[in-house]
């Protein structure tokens, strides 16, 4: 694979030129949100400047243009992830709302006492808390597939839990804390064998690697625009059409109905049935532009670049001798991030020192508190990479560790 032209890529991100206290920002917090390239910003500005209008096919030129752009953004995303068509692509606010849509529209209607909701110990709160609460409301049980000491899923335990009592299997594709790349196709096949619904959280996968929902064969797959060089305020729930047709919406309003009377209402066609009210129109334009921008580079090249940076960061941090790194060895089982702790230094103190060096990392529980309890640490520091990051930026992160040791260790 041809290596990325980082220089040319970085020119599309003016934010990366910013300086604080005379030091150029080193942005290593991409698992939280990625930066937005000029073509995406320009596409959204162009929408607001030239064809802003409400959608749902108003009878005037501007609404027609906006409606077509909004509808076609669904087609673009469908093509990007290998969905059958726009009917299988629902725009939400973010991954969290996508997970909630499945839990409320399908879970509340289908789960019964004695059903098992199978999660993993590394789930993000977006799926963990959501399914946990829906299970409480329906009397279903929740079980968690164990994570082993190397941060990988215990697949023997998965096979034990995903039996005929399993009603849902909800798992993260790439862990935002460990970096672990989970065998999602295997998990969805197990779920399918036992007629359990499969829901995959792809927030850290779609932005960083090729994803084909047909190959994974999950019933639902969720991700966010802001983690893939797109805008905040838009996420995607992919769902198999036959399932979405059967499900009732859980958010009601205009745009999602077919017929409304004082007595009752009927629902519109897919995907609009699950998109009530005025949708994120500019964000959909931005998301489609982000998909174009990513595909221009190539998802395989992005994956290779991030794996190379994760390997480099892992090796540099491991060589320090007092750094505990969580998750698998570098390689195909690890995505483009490294979470770690420095002996004797609290993660929040470390991030603060990093910030003195204008290195932006994330410190905390990364919305995976149960996982941190299992790791036996209150927090971790996470460096996460994207298309515009370089080895030199990782060197700056490592160089700042000494300051932290002198101050806190
Ligand atoms: C694996 C995973 N699932 C779900 C979410 C929720 O996405 P939205 O916030 O777009 O709904 C995130 C966000 N990642 C968090 C956000 O900040 N830092 C993180 O690691 C995530 O990493």
């Amino acid at each position: 694979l041809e290596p990325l032209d980082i220089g040319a890529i970085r020119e599309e991100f003016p934010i990366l030129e910013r300086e604080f206290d005379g030091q150029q920002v080193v942005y290593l917090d991409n698992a939280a949100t990625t930066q937005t390239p000029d073509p995406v910003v320009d596409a959204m500005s162009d929408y607001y400047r030239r064809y802003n209008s409400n959608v749902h096919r108003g009878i005037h030129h501007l609404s027609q243009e906006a409606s077509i752009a909004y509808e076609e953004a669904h087609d673009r995303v469908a093509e990007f992830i290998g969905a059958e068509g726009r009917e299988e692509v629902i725009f939400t606010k973010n991954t969290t709302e996508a997970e909630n849509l499945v839990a409320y529209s399908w879970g509340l209607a289908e789960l019964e006492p004695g059903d098992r909701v199978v999660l993993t110990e590394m789930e993000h709160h977006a799926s963990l808390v959501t399914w946990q609460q829906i299970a409480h409301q329906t009397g279903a049980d929740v079980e968690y597939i164990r994570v082993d000491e190397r941060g990988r899923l215990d697949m023997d335990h998965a096979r034990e839990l995903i039996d005929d009592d399993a009603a849902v299997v909800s798992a993260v594709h790439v862990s935002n804390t460990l970096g672990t790349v989970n065998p999602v196709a295997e998990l969805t096949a197990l779920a399918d064998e036992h007629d359990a619904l499969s829901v995959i959280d792809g927030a850290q996968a779609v932005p960083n690697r090729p994803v084909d929902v047909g190959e994974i064969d999950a019933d639902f797959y969720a991700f966010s625009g802001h983690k893939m060089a797109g805008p905040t305020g838009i996420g995607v729930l992919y769902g198999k059409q036959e399932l979405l047709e059967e499900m009732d919406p859980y958010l009601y309003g205009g745009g999602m109905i077919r017929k409304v009377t004082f007595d009752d209402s009927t629902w519109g066609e897919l995907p609009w049935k699950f998109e009530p009210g005025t949708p994120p129109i500019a964000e959909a334009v931005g998301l489609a532009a982000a998909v174009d921008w990513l595909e221009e580079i190539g998802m395989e090249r992005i994956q290779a670049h991030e794996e190379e940076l994760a390997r480099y960061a892992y090796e540099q941090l491991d060589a320090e001798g007092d750094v505990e790194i969580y998750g698998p060895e570098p390689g195909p089982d690890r995505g483009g991030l490294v979470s770690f702790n420095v002996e004797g230094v609290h993660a929040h103190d470390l991030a603060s020192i990093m910030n003195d060096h204008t290195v932006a990392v994330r410190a905390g529980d990364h919305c995976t508190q149960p996982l941190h309890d299992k790791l036996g640490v209150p927090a971790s520091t996470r460096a996460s990479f994207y298309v515009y990051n370089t080895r030199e930026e990782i060197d700056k992160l490592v160089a700042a560790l000494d300051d932290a040791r002198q101050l806190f260790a």
Side-chain angles (χ1 to χ4, degrees):
L1 284 171
E2 192 183 324
L4 301 183
D5 181 348
I6 306 295
I9 287 173
R10 287 179 72 96
E11 280 171 19
E12 299 188 275
F13 295 86
I15 195 170
L16 297 177
E17 300 305 310
R18 287 210 51 197
E19 295 189 358
F20 297 89
D21 309 325
Q23 301 175 92
Q24 185 172 354
V25 70
V26 175
Y27 186 76
L28 300 176
D29 194 19
N30 295 284
T33 200
T34 53
Q35 296 304 336
T36 317
D38 287 339
V40 172
V41 176
D42 295 346
M44 296 175 74
S45 301
D46 183 50
Y47 163 76
Y48 280 122
R49 289 203 177 97
R50 290 193 332 100
Y51 58 106
N52 173 58
S53 175
N54 211 326
V55 291
H56 303 131
R57 299 277 177 166
I59 305 169
H60 60 74
H61 295 301
L62 287 173
S63 179
Q64 290 295 321
E65 283 193 18
S67 298
I68 289 166
Y70 182 71
E71 292 164 18
E72 291 182 349
H74 289 72
D75 302 333
R76 189 73 188 85
V77 170
E79 186 190 348
F80 183 54
I81 62 172
E84 295 293 309
R86 62 172 63 174
E87 298 76 11
E88 297 193 323
V89 172
I90 296 161
F91 286 163
T92 60
K93 185 166 63 250
N94 48 34
T95 301
T96 303
E97 187 182 67
E99 294 270 0
N100 275 271
L101 195 163
V102 182
Y104 275 94
S105 277
W106 185 91
L108 270 190
E110 298 297 328
L111 288 176
E112 294 172 350
D115 284 344
R116 181 178 306 134
V117 174
V118 180
L119 307 177
T120 78
E121 290 181 328
M122 64 173 89
E123 284 317 290
H124 184 283
H125 294 164
S127 60
L128 192 152
V129 178
T130 305
W131 285 108
Q132 175 193 76
Q133 295 309 309
I134 293 296
H136 290 172
Q137 292 178 38
T138 55
D141 305 314
V142 182
E143 299 275 356
Y144 299 87
I145 301 171
R146 280 193 297 270
V147 173
D148 69 21
E149 67 290 339
R150 279 316 319 161
R152 290 189 176 85
L153 283 187
D154 178 342
M155 289 307 287
D156 290 336
H157 191 216
R159 281 182 278 276
E160 198 186 306
L161 292 180
I162 307 174
D163 64 14
D164 289 341
D165 290 336
V168 184
V169 178
S170 184
V172 65
H173 191 160
V174 177
S175 165
N176 66 310
T177 296
L178 301 170
T180 310
V181 181
N182 287 320
V184 286
E186 193 178 343
L187 287 168
T188 61
L190 278 171
D192 211 31
E193 265 172 53
H194 298 283
D195 293 329
L197 194 85
S198 54
V199 187
I200 302 297
D201 168 351
Q204 299 294 346
V206 168
N208 315 88
R209 60 187 53 235
V211 167
D212 182 332
V213 291
E215 275 172 25
I216 294 168
D217 198 22
D219 294 320
F220 294 99
Y221 195 100
F223 55 99
S224 295
H226 68 96
K227 297 186 189 283
M228 51 186 285
T232 54
I234 190 163
V236 177
L237 176 69
Y238 156 79
K240 285 183 176 173
Q241 183 166 354
E242 56 271 26
L243 282 167
L244 291 170
E245 294 288 10
E246 289 160 15
M247 284 157 58
D248 282 330
Y250 80 111
L251 290 174
Y252 304 103
M256 49 80 66
I257 50 88
R258 185 183 308 280
K259 179 81 182 121
V260 180
T261 67
F262 286 123
D263 298 326
D264 204 351
S265 305
T266 57
W267 313 131
E269 58 194 29
L270 291 173
W272 321 123
K273 175 169 92 167
F274 291 103
E275 295 190 7
T278 300
I281 309 166
E283 292 79 359
V285 169
L287 180 57
V291 169
D292 290 343
W293 189 80
L294 289 172
E295 287 212 317
E296 178 76 25
I297 293 172
M299 298 315 293
E300 291 81 0
R301 293 172 72 207
I302 293 172
Q303 178 179 349
H305 179 67
E306 287 189 30
E307 283 181 356
E308 196 273 328
L309 289 182
R311 174 179 297 283
Y312 183 71
Y314 189 106
E315 290 168 354
Q316 296 302 310
L317 287 168
D318 197 32
E320 293 286 305
D322 61 347
V323 176
E324 182 178 21
I325 301 173
Y326 307 108
E329 304 281 319
D333 287 352
R334 173 180 282 274
L337 64 94
V338 180
S339 294
F340 62 95
N341 269 304
V342 176
E343 201 173 319
V345 182
H346 190 286
H348 292 140
D349 293 329
L350 182 60
S352 171
I353 291 294
M354 289 289 160
N355 191 45
D356 292 346
H357 291 256
T358 320
V359 175
V361 292
R362 179 78 41 168
D365 58 49
H366 316 305
C367 304
T368 58
Q369 282 181 14
L371 177 63
H372 277 83
D373 294 344
K374 179 187 170 76
L375 295 172
V377 289
S380 59
T381 300
R382 181 188 65 193
S384 48
F385 316 113
Y386 211 34
V387 290
Y388 32 68
N389 289 130
T390 64
R391 283 186 167 213
E392 291 71 30
E393 291 184 308
I394 293 169
D395 292 341
K396 287 182 182 167
L397 177 147
V398 175
L401 295 179
D402 277 338
D403 277 7
R405 290 186 186 99
Q406 279 156 28
L407 272 175
F408 297 106

